[in-house]
Amino acid sequence: MSAINLKKNIIETIFVKGGILILNFAITFVVARLWGAEGKGMVALFVADLGMISIFCNIFTTSSVSYYLKKIGQSKLATQAYIWVFVASAILALILSFVGGSKLSLLLFVISVLLGFVVFHSSLFIGDQKIPYYNLITLLQPLLLLVFMLLFYFVFKDKFGYHVYFYSQIISLTLIFVVAKILTNKVLGKAKFDFDKEAIKNSFNFGWKTELSNLLQFWNYRFSMYAIPFLCGADGIKMVGVFAMGISISEAIWMFSKSISVVQYSNVLATGDTLASRKETAKVSYISLFASLACVVIIAILPAKIFPFIFGADFEYVKTVILLLSPGILAISISNVYGNFFSAIGKLNILIIKSAAGLIATIILSLFLIPKLGIAGASIVNSCAYIVSSVILIVYFFRGK
């Protein structure tokens, strides 16, 4: 990819991620205003469960797809991905229903299957360097979700409560899958059933290492959310809602980092581990840091009362959560870029090490800080874990020079 196209794709992706940020903010606003901290907490835990299932599905739907598209071809990748997503989603949704006692296992299964299919096609677009198509698919997800949430709510007059979120997910992801399939057929042709054991082996060997890192990182990010209900008593779900709101706003700052890193990932896949690609990666990581810092400063100068004014009285503590998270958010804004660099060049063990280190820090600190400090403790835990994992990635990147 030329330098001009790289910059064009980065700028375009940042604008798209900006649109996604606004749409996600609108979704968060709707959920908080309509169903309060308890509704936000239930949705947040469901999304966390969905994220956990997606990590296992991603073994055959994300980085392995982008990495092996030119080597294996679309048909073999599609065959193994579709089968794997269906089977993994069914097994894990069932396990979570037994472990957590959730009554939403069927919804969790359906949504995770649809999401897995959409993610697979998004990864094809990254591997084929069709970044505009990738941007379109990622933008449609929150846009259609918001549209159908509002339609459900106003048509049925809140008859379904926060379940509206889940029904809207199903409809929007179905439509997005259809669009993604049409675009894939346009650029890569129609996929055929092609079950190949060697392709499965290669994809699995690549994918499980990436997703092991992501699974560890998931628990690094979300362990505190699951721990709060167990360590903080009867108000745990409401506290999860407040904490999740702060997390949602804070992680939205990663828009710049994610925009840059996904384009840089596609670029490094094409060019490999060269001096030029390392210099470009370091350069865009600094851009990511300064853009994220600007967002943190803006949030810091906002009056604390604006959050309960926007989201409701339950969310008066949100600004404190964001400020406590901000050091870790800034650290991740740099390391996201380096993490995708290592993924693109196949050095997946580094990602596993940094995620494991962050998770260890999360578990140890959670047991001490959350029972004593509640939401503030959970925020400090996450921030410290983010910093630990980021420092490890940064050290590995610069040592590699």
Side-chain angles (χ1 to χ4, degrees), residues 52-211:
M52 198 186 317
I53 294 177
S54 295
I55 287 169
F56 288 93
C57 292
N58 288 350
I59 292 173
F60 286 99
T61 62
T62 53
S63 57
S64 62
V65 174
S66 302
Y67 187 81
Y68 279 113
L69 177 60
K70 303 295 185 182
K71 303 174 180 68
I72 292 177
Q74 180 201 175
S75 293
K76 293 176 182 178
L77 293 172
T79 300
Q80 62 195 27
Y82 282 18
I83 294 173
W84 174 257
V85 165
F86 190 88
V87 173
S89 297
I91 293 173
L92 291 168
L94 191 61
I95 291 173
L96 287 173
S97 70
F98 282 115
V99 173
S102 174
K103 298 178 180 179
L104 302 172
S105 56
L106 181 58
L107 291 171
L108 189 60
F109 164 69
V110 174
I111 293 172
S112 62
V113 168
L114 290 170
L115 181 60
F117 291 167
V118 170
V119 168
F120 167 73
H121 286 276
S122 298
S123 299
L124 288 176
F125 298 142
I126 293 175
D128 199 42
Q129 294 190 291
K130 296 295 187 295
I131 301 300
Y133 288 165
Y134 167 83
N135 285 333
L136 174 63
I137 295 303
T138 53
L139 181 62
L140 282 176
Q141 291 181 45
L143 175 61
L144 293 182
L145 174 59
L146 178 62
V147 168
F148 285 111
M149 280 178 62
L150 294 174
L151 283 175
F152 263 107
Y153 179 78
F154 287 112
V155 170
F156 295 101
K157 308 299 182 184
D158 204 25
K159 178 181 177 181
F160 300 107
Y162 60 80
H163 284 74
V164 162
Y165 178 89
F166 312 133
Y167 303 146
S168 301
Q169 279 276 28
I170 291 172
I171 297 173
S172 59
L173 286 171
T174 300
L175 293 175
I176 293 165
F177 172 58
V178 172
V179 172
K181 185 69 175 173
I182 292 171
L183 292 175
T184 300
N185 291 344
K186 177 183 175 182
V187 297
L188 294 172
K190 290 185 178 181
K192 299 178 181 179
F193 183 84
D194 192 352
F195 191 85
D196 186 282
K197 292 182 180 179
E198 187 64 25
I200 292 172
K201 179 182 176 182
N202 290 334
S203 295
F204 181 79
N205 286 339
F206 187 93
W208 81 262
K209 292 181 180 179
T210 301
E211 297 314 318

Side-chain angles (χ1 to χ4, degrees), residues 325-340:
L325 287 168
S326 59
I329 294 296
L330 292 176
I332 291 289
S333 72
I334 303 172
S335 66
N336 270 342
V337 179
Y338 297 140
N340 272 348

Side-chain angles (χ1 to χ4, degrees), residues 17-37:
K17 295 294 185 183
I20 293 171
L21 176 62
I22 294 170
L23 291 167
N24 283 335
F25 179 85
I27 292 168
T28 299
F29 172 81
V30 170
V31 171
R33 272 295 182 182
L34 296 183
W35 305 300

